[in-house]
């Protein structure tokens, strides 16, 4: 699995801590981490949480990545922004139990985490435990397992609901504030990471045209 890490501007100073916790946990499992920044508070591209949502939508709908790990001070803003995008199912994960239940019941493709609220001494250990519960096993198995079929059915209903209520990603990209979009994709390594990995030529072509 290819996992993108996106860090919102208020928590940019913690990007290296988050990346280390994520890579040290999931790379031994065979997953790949791609860090889309922000890398430091001094980055030229300042990703607000609405931009984080937009970037999450771009990465998942283009199939450049399979999963997105993001967050902000509380995690709530990034979660709301991500869930505003078509095809994105983002959960708020605060502790390992949240991570396990989200993976097994909701089987989404993104998580948002709080990197300020409640993040203190040994905060990186909580991150590692969360990532372990998210990525160590098969997702969508269900919990309790005897309700797996019902949970899978509800995920399908939710996916249909989302498809009916959202525009496609290309339409979103053409409709949003273009300055907002340009900033969201202006990270130092966006071009390097995104274009070789994107599997949607229309999304790639539109972004290149900006």
């Amino acid at each position: 699995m290819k996992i993108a890490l996106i860090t919102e501007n208020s928590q940019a100073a913690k990007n290296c801590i988050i990346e280390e916790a994520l890579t040290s946990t999931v790379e031994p499992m065979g997953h790949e981490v791609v860090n889309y920044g922000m890398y430091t508070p001094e980055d030229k591209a300042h990703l607000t949480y609405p931009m984080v949502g937009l970037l999450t939508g771009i990465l998942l709908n283009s199939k450049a990545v399979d999963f997105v790990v993001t967050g902000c001070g509380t995690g709530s803003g990034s979660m709301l922004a991500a869930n505003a995008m078509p095809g994105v199912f983002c959960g708020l994960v605060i502790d390992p139990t949240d991570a396990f239940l989200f993976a097994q019941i909701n089987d989404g493709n993104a998580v948002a985490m709080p990197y300020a609220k409640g993040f203190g001494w040994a905060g990186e250990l909580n991150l590692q435990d969360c990532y372990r519960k998210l990525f160590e096993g098969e997702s969508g198995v269900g919990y309790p397992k005897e309700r797996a079929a019902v949970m899978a059915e509800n995920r399908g209903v939710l996916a249909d609901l989302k498809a009916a209520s959202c525009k496609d990603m290309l339409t979103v990209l053409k409709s949003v504030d273009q300055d907002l979009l340009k900033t969201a994709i202006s990270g130092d390594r966006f071009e390097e990471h995104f274009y070789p990995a994107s599997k949607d030529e229309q999304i790639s072509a539109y972004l290149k045209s900006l």
Side-chain angles (χ1 to χ4, degrees):
M1 182 185 292
K2 183 177 283 191
I3 303 165
L5 172 61
I6 308 172
T7 309
E8 177 258 2
N9 60 352
S10 74
Q11 303 306 308
K14 296 190 180 90
N15 178 267
C16 58
I17 297 172
I18 301 164
E19 182 183 27
E20 171 60 25
L22 182 58
T23 56
S24 66
T25 303
V26 305
E27 286 187 348
M29 301 175 187
H31 304 305
E32 176 187 357
V33 176
V34 184
N35 190 347
Y36 275 85
M38 290 176 59
Y39 306 103
T40 72
E42 289 74 39
D43 286 9
K44 291 181 181 178
H46 273 251
L47 298 177
T48 62
Y49 74 82
M51 293 176 192
V52 165
L54 193 53
L55 185 52
T56 298
I58 290 169
L59 297 180
L60 290 173
N61 282 278
S62 67
K63 295 182 172 54
V65 301
D66 305 299
F67 200 98
V68 172
V69 171
T70 186
C72 52
T74 66
S76 294
S78 294
M79 179 196 67
L80 291 170
N83 280 321
M85 297 294 109
V88 178
F89 299 90
C90 182
L92 177 65
V93 168
I94 298 173
D95 58 37
T97 303
D98 290 337
F100 174 77
L101 293 174
F102 177 71
Q104 296 308 315
I105 296 172
N106 308 111
D107 194 20
N109 53 13
V111 294
M113 303 184 73
Y115 298 124
K117 180 179 179 290
F119 194 98
W121 186 60
E124 74 281 3
L125 300 182
N126 180 63
L127 294 183
Q128 291 171 356
D129 289 341
C130 288
Y131 300 144
R132 194 169 293 110
K133 289 296 185 182
L134 275 170
F135 300 114
E136 69 182 351
E138 181 184 355
S139 294
V141 173
Y143 183 85
K145 290 185 178 180
E146 57 267 25
R147 288 185 51 79
V150 173
M151 293 170 180
E153 181 180 354
N154 285 333
R155 289 196 299 270
V157 171
L158 180 60
D160 291 342
L161 202 60
K162 183 103 172 180
S165 63
C166 286
K167 301 173 182 177
D168 66 275
M169 195 65 207
L170 186 61
T171 301
V172 171
L173 295 178
K174 292 180 177 179
S175 303
V176 298
D177 182 288
Q178 298 298 281
D179 288 334
L180 185 80
L181 175 57
K182 288 176 185 177
T183 304
I185 63 171
S186 65
D188 289 345
R189 301 176 202 167
F190 177 82
E191 292 187 11
E192 170 191 345
H193 290 326
F194 177 74
Y195 291 114
S198 172
K199 297 176 177 61
D200 190 304
E201 293 182 4
Q202 288 185 305
I203 290 176
S204 294
Y206 186 73
L207 295 180
K208 284 180 180 178
S209 74
L210 299 174

